[in-house]
Amino acid sequence: MTNSSTSTSVARSEKIAILSFMLAVLIVMGHSLLPASYGMPHYFATVNSLLGTGRSAVPVFFFITSYLFFRNFSIDKLGRKLHSRLRSLVVPYLLWNILSAILWFAFIAVFGREYMSDNIRFDSLWQIVGDILASKYSILWFVGVIIVYAVLSPLIYYMVRGRCVGIVMIIVSAIVAVVFRHPFSSPLLWLPVYLGGAWTGLHYPDFMYRRMPVALTIAGIVFFPVFTFLDISQTNNLWMNLVHWTAPLFFIGIYDVLDSIFNFAVHRAYKYSFFIYSLHYIPIHFLQHYIVLNDSSAWACWMAVTVVPTSILLLIIVIACLTERFFPRVYSCFSGGR
């Protein structure tokens, strides 16, 4: 392989790595909503709405994951793909869910239940095991849905193998998503985005390795903010889904625009996005509740919504970096080899 082809390969992988890191930071922002508490300044309802837009990074993760899985896909590659998913998804899914359950119960035992809202009731060991497998102590539901899609990958492949048939299947799944209101962690809710990524990976395998067409970038930049505003102001199932479907165009397009200015490829690729996604929720959740429930002043609320997420984000990056350096096998298991 020549030096030029090597550098091109690095630049391609760095685009996805850096974009994933940025999306992980947005997810942290989306999970930094303040808990409802008496005495909080009324304008924090608006702050929460703005922070909640960070969750729009979720559909982009679905798109990228599907694109990478089905890029240049064929049935004879299925075994290798599923084996890769076993290491990159199933093992980290179980490890992070077990760790999250331990942290959840530890915080309750030491500090009490009031600081861990939406507590899961546990009446038996089997129920705890079931809740761990169902990802109820963590936000790894995303990975659980990806595992479901991986199992269904042959069906998904045949749904989008044909260019025109694939478009029809995406539209049909989109109609189903709009007509029926699915839970946020339902595979049916995210199927249109996942099918879109699979269709793109099969028919346009270099899509993520070059700049997105200008027309798609403009469409994302125009429509995504409009649909986000309508979703916040009207809370309609259609607007929510339109936000999901236009989010990949918006964030990938914004990345390309910023990359043309800052040239991200010359900087170090951030590779700790999976660690950030998996570990941030419980400490942010606990610290914010602890602060706001003990001091609901405006100063405390602003500290909970700014200092806490930023500090936890930096701490997780340090933990991931140290784990990778001194305990590489542990890091590999928890990150799925990322």
Side-chain angles (χ1 to χ4, degrees):
M1 182 179 290
T2 62
N3 290 335
S4 60
S5 61
T6 301
S7 61
T8 301
S9 176
V10 171
R12 288 174 173 177
S13 64
E14 282 192 342
K15 175 179 180 178
I16 295 176
I18 298 173
L19 178 58
S20 296
F21 178 84
M22 294 177 176
L23 294 171
V25 173
L26 287 172
I27 293 294
V28 172
M29 183 184 83
H31 287 139
S32 298
L33 282 71
L34 290 185
S37 174
Y38 293 107
M40 286 174 52
H42 64 86
Y43 57 79
F44 266 92
T46 303
V47 174
N48 278 347
S49 296
L50 294 176
L51 290 173
T53 60
R55 294 179 178 176
S56 298
V58 172
V60 192
F61 273 125
F62 274 112
F63 181 90
I64 293 175
T65 301
S66 177
Y67 165 84
L68 291 175
F69 187 90
F70 288 98
R71 182 174 180 266
N72 294 322
F73 181 86
S74 60
I75 287 296
D76 62 297
K77 298 178 181 178
L78 179 60
R80 189 173 358 126
K81 290 278 189 177
L82 291 178
H83 182 269
S84 173
R85 280 291 189 264
L86 176 66
R87 180 188 178 214
S88 63
L89 292 178
V90 177
V91 173
Y93 181 77
L94 294 176
L95 291 176
W96 281 114
N97 279 341
I98 292 172
L99 177 62
S100 297
I102 293 173
L103 290 175
W104 197 277
F105 292 131
F107 283 153
I108 291 176
V110 175
F111 300 100
R113 300 178 68 90
E114 63 179 320
Y115 300 119
M116 302 298 290
S117 66
D118 300 322
N119 290 304
I120 308 300
R121 293 189 61 187
F122 52 97
D123 300 318
S124 68
L125 177 61
W126 286 112
Q127 183 174 350
I128 294 174
V129 172
D131 289 344
I132 288 175
L133 295 177
S135 193
K136 290 189 177 181
Y137 301 108
S138 75
I139 56 168
L140 267 289
W141 65 267
F142 167 83
V143 179
V145 174
I146 295 299
I147 292 173
V148 171
Y149 287 149
V151 173
L152 299 177
S153 56
L155 175 61
I156 292 174
Y157 168 69
Y158 286 112
M159 290 174 68
V160 298
R161 182 176 60 170
R163 194 182 299 263
C164 294
V165 174
I167 293 176
V168 172
M169 297 308 299
I170 293 171
I171 294 174
V172 170
S173 66
I175 293 174
V176 171
V178 171
V179 174
F180 302 97
R181 183 178 290 275
H182 305 290
F184 200 71
S185 58
S186 169
L188 288 176
L189 177 65
W190 302 104
L191 187 58
V193 176
Y194 194 83
L195 289 178
W199 184 88
T200 304
L202 279 172
H203 302 292
Y204 297 95
D206 289 333
F207 180 81
M208 287 296 299
Y209 293 157
R210 55 183 173 82
R211 295 193 186 282
M212 194 165 66
V214 175
L216 293 180
T217 299
I218 293 175
I221 292 175
V222 170
F223 289 114
F224 174 78
V226 172
F227 294 143
T228 298
F229 173 77
L230 291 172
D231 182 44
I232 293 175
S233 59
Q234 300 183 22
T235 316
N236 183 283
N237 195 34
L238 174 62
W239 303 135
M240 179 191 72
N241 282 281
L242 287 171
V243 169
H244 294 163
W245 302 336
T246 55
L249 299 181
F250 176 78
F251 287 108
I252 296 172
I254 288 295
Y255 175 92
D256 287 338
V257 171
L258 294 177
D259 184 47
S260 65
I261 300 173
F262 299 106
N263 191 17
F264 293 129
V266 303
H267 304 291
R268 181 176 181 271
Y270 297 98
K271 53 186 176 180
Y272 303 126
S273 56
F274 193 77
F275 246 78
I276 292 171
Y277 177 84
S278 302
L279 187 56
H280 76 276
Y281 180 71
I282 288 182
I284 289 178
H285 181 93
F286 168 77
L287 288 175
Q288 285 190 324
H289 278 74
Y290 188 87
I291 291 172
V292 174
L293 292 178
N294 286 284
D295 182 358
S296 59
S297 65
W299 179 87
C301 291
W302 279 113
M303 184 175 70
V305 84
T306 56
V307 176
V308 168
T310 303
S311 301
I312 294 299
L313 177 63
L314 295 176
L315 178 61
I316 292 174
I317 293 175
V318 171
I319 292 174
C321 182
L322 293 176
T323 305
E324 182 188 28
R325 179 175 180 180
F326 296 105
F327 306 99
R329 291 188 178 181
V330 174
Y331 175 84
S332 180
C333 290
F334 273 88
S335 65
R338 293 173 179 82

